[in-house]
Amino acid sequence: MIRVLLADDQALVRAGFRALLDAEGDVEVVGEAADGDEAVTEIRRLVPDVVLMDIRMPGADGLDATRRIVADDRLKAVRVIILTTFELDEYVFEAIRSGASGFLVKDTEPAELVAAVRAVARGDALLSPSVTRRLIAEFALRAQRPRPYPQLAALTDREREVLALAGQGLSNEEIAAKLVVSPATAKTHVSRAMVKLAARDRAQLVVIAYESGLVRPGWLT
């Protein structure tokens, strides 16, 4: 059973998400919150698997709440999906960088919402191609001297190669095709890189690939 907490300042939105998710046999909504502070309190109390977090709420917003969740060692297993009205929300970049596992626009189709919750519960990242491109563009604009990342030394040459491809937004299937290996092998390399780099999920691999300098803006075609 995937345990979900809903954080949104609009009661009607929470009610709609609850009705949709509770109708699924493998998903259970265990709590709700109307702002970031309440969300953090309830998440610490309930420790859900997935949080649907509105990025814009009164008081502490979803971005602040996400940072606090990621910083709490007791909540390492909690995955945050940011909810936004617009795909190009100015805070999406910072939310992913802060540890969110991905994002959903609020008008997402019901089936896509359920699939997203299941995907993030499995540890997958929830980044659409357009958001991945936007993350890359943001890194290009904010590019600074890469900071030391000694954990990269623990990676094999193949894992570094896979990390660079994941950092460019490629899926396991696309990585497999590029390296001429099976998708299962690509997934194994990605998983091992995540473990060695202590990355929460695939979204964090994109951040690490750029901040470490393994992938640099301008290399992509």
Side-chain angles (χ1 to χ4, degrees), residues 3-27:
R3 304 171 70 253
V4 178
L5 186 136
L6 308 174
D8 194 293
D9 61 323
Q10 298 182 43
L12 190 59
V13 171
R14 298 198 306 273
F17 284 157
R18 176 182 281 276
L20 175 64
L21 295 172
D22 278 344
E24 300 297 319
D26 60 339
V27 182

Side-chain angles (χ1 to χ4, degrees), residues 62-196:
L63 187 59
D64 179 61
T66 297
R67 290 196 189 101
R68 289 155 65 186
I69 292 163
V70 171
D72 192 330
D73 287 340
R74 297 166 298 175
L75 304 177
K76 283 184 176 180
V78 177
R79 297 290 176 260
V80 178
I81 298 175
I82 291 294
L83 296 171
T84 179
T85 304
F86 303 104
E87 183 172 327
L88 296 183
D89 190 297
E90 63 185 288
Y91 295 117
V92 167
F93 170 82
E94 193 60 36
I96 298 299
R97 196 172 184 276
S98 297
S101 295
F103 90 104
L104 282 174
V105 289
K106 286 188 175 181
D107 61 356
T108 295
E109 292 294 324
E112 293 178 5
L113 173 66
V114 175
V117 168
R118 290 176 178 142
V120 170
R122 290 193 304 267
D124 295 338
L126 195 65
L127 295 178
S128 68
S130 61
V131 168
T132 299
R133 288 194 297 270
R134 182 167 181 269
L135 285 172
I136 291 168
E138 288 282 1
F139 274 113
L141 289 173
R142 304 177 186 208
Q144 299 175 351
R145 185 185 303 275
R147 65 185 177 87
Y149 219 95
Q151 295 94 322
L152 288 183
L155 301 183
T156 64
D157 289 343
R158 178 62 91 182
E159 288 164 354
R160 290 170 70 94
E161 190 174 12
V162 167
L163 172 60
L165 294 173
Q168 295 175 32
L170 273 63
S171 66
N172 288 342
E173 290 73 19
E174 292 168 332
I175 292 172
K178 204 166 187 69
L179 300 181
V180 195
V181 298
S182 72
T185 297
K187 182 177 181 180
T188 296
H189 287 311
V190 170
S191 297
R192 287 175 177 168
M194 286 176 57
V195 170
K196 291 180 180 181

